[in-house]
Amino acid sequence: KNQVEQSPQSLIILEGKNCTLQCNYTVSPFSNLRWYKQDTGRGPVSLTIMTFSENTKSNGRYTATLDADTKQSSLHITASQLSDSASYICVVTRRAAGNKLTFGGGTRVLVKP
Amino acid sequence: SQTIHQWPATLVQPVGSPLSLECTVEGTSNPNLYWYRQAAGRGLQLLFYSVGIGQISSEVPQNLSASRPQDRQFILSSKKLLLSDSGFYLCAWSVESGTEAFFGQGTRLTVV
């Protein structure tokens, strides 16, 4: 079954600290993996996208890694800011008709001053 | 540039009433279109996706239906809403190659 599992479900960190979010998937055949940031009550916004041959991608203070062999990805947030408080969603696209997206349950991050 | 419009932003409907949420995409042709629901504190659940006009795939049996009457229009409907239909509904689109997906701003539906 094609699934995407994220951990932890929620995370509280102090402003300025770093944190790492995990994503494990069983989606096959794999096309790409994306990390999205979703502010409360808004639609998700893409942070990074990685294909099979890419193992790291950065977007400002966000760095995503991908290990296609173990089917794991991580999102590292450096020097967190209050505006980083949001849900972070891992999305894997299956290389198949319709390019169906499979979403993880998300990790809710709360950055406290 | 491509844009996606989803409306309304919020909706309060009584149990048993019909529903129609609309999503339109501009600036692209033949996009893949998706409807997702996000219950409070939960992840996104794929409801329907469409690869072309009149082509709808349902992911979860439920009280909802979807239609794609035009290439860039995707409609989510219900004949009779249930309390459990409350949630945050998101429309999204992607190009056929699947390298990026773009989301609307969502509709907060409350069934009372």
Side-chain angles (χ1 to χ4, degrees), chain A residues 31-32 34 36 38 40-46 49 87 89 93-94 96-106 108, chain B residues 32 34 36 38 41-44 46 49 51 59 88 90 92 94-106 108:
Chain A
S31 177
N32 58 69
R34 289 169 272 197
Y36 284 84
Q38 184 181 20
T40 301
R42 306 293 297 275
V45 175
S46 178
I49 178 170
S87 287
I89 305 171
T93 301
R94 184 160 57 96
N99 294 109
K100 202 165 56 180
L101 313 177
T102 303
F103 282 73
R108 285 181 291 282
Chain B
N32 292 339
Y34 309 84
Y36 293 89
Q38 188 173 38
R42 304 288 296 277
L44 284 160
L46 178 63
Y49 75 95
V51 301
E59 289 296 298
F88 189 57
L90 283 160
S94 68
V95 297
E96 196 275 334
S97 61
T99 56
E100 184 62 89
F102 301 90
F103 288 83
Q105 288 302 300
R108 173 75 56 192

Side-chain angles (χ1 to χ4, degrees), chain B:
Chain B
S1 62
Q2 302 92 348
T3 56
I4 179 170
H5 302 281
Q6 185 181 341
W7 68 91
T10 59
L11 191 61
V12 180
Q13 292 283 98
V15 170
S17 64
L19 172 74
S20 180
L21 301 181
E22 189 163 345
C23 172
T24 59
V25 180
E26 297 177 356
T28 188
S29 296
N30 196 33
N32 292 339
L33 296 172
Y34 309 84
W35 275 112
Y36 293 89
R37 177 170 60 199
Q38 188 173 38
R42 304 288 296 277
L44 284 160
Q45 177 188 40
L46 178 63
L47 301 176
F48 302 95
Y49 75 95
S50 171
V51 301
I53 296 175
Q55 301 178 60
I56 309 294
S57 295
S58 175
E59 289 296 298
V60 182
Q62 59 215 321
N63 184 41
L64 302 168
S65 62
S67 61
R68 186 170 177 173
Q70 300 180 46
D71 181 44
R72 290 168 287 181
Q73 183 185 29
F74 206 22
I75 299 172
L76 183 68
S77 305
S78 173
K79 292 182 178 179
K80 289 184 177 182
L81 283 169
L82 306 172
L83 286 174
S84 58
D85 291 326
S86 294
F88 189 57
Y89 289 82
L90 283 160
C91 178
W93 72 273
S94 68
V95 297
E96 196 275 334
S97 61
T99 56
E100 184 62 89
F102 301 90
F103 288 83
Q105 288 302 300
T107 295
R108 173 75 56 192
L109 172 66
T110 303
V111 182
V112 296

Side-chain angles (χ1 to χ4, degrees), chain A residues 22-83:
Chain A
Q22 300 292 338
C23 173
N24 298 334
Y25 63 92
T26 60
V27 175
S28 181
F30 175 85
S31 177
N32 58 69
L33 184 147
R34 289 169 272 197
W35 282 93
Y36 284 84
K37 178 184 179 185
Q38 184 181 20
D39 293 314
T40 301
R42 306 293 297 275
V45 175
S46 178
L47 294 175
T48 64
I49 178 170
M50 289 179 291
T51 58
F52 185 87
S53 59
E54 298 174 294
N55 54 26
T56 187
K57 185 74 70 78
S58 291
N59 179 358
R61 294 178 296 100
Y62 300 102
T63 300
T65 65
L66 173 66
D67 186 334
D69 292 329
T70 62
K71 298 187 176 181
Q72 296 179 324
S73 176
S74 66
L75 180 69
H76 187 75
I77 304 176
T78 303
S80 61
Q81 299 177 0
L82 297 179
S83 59

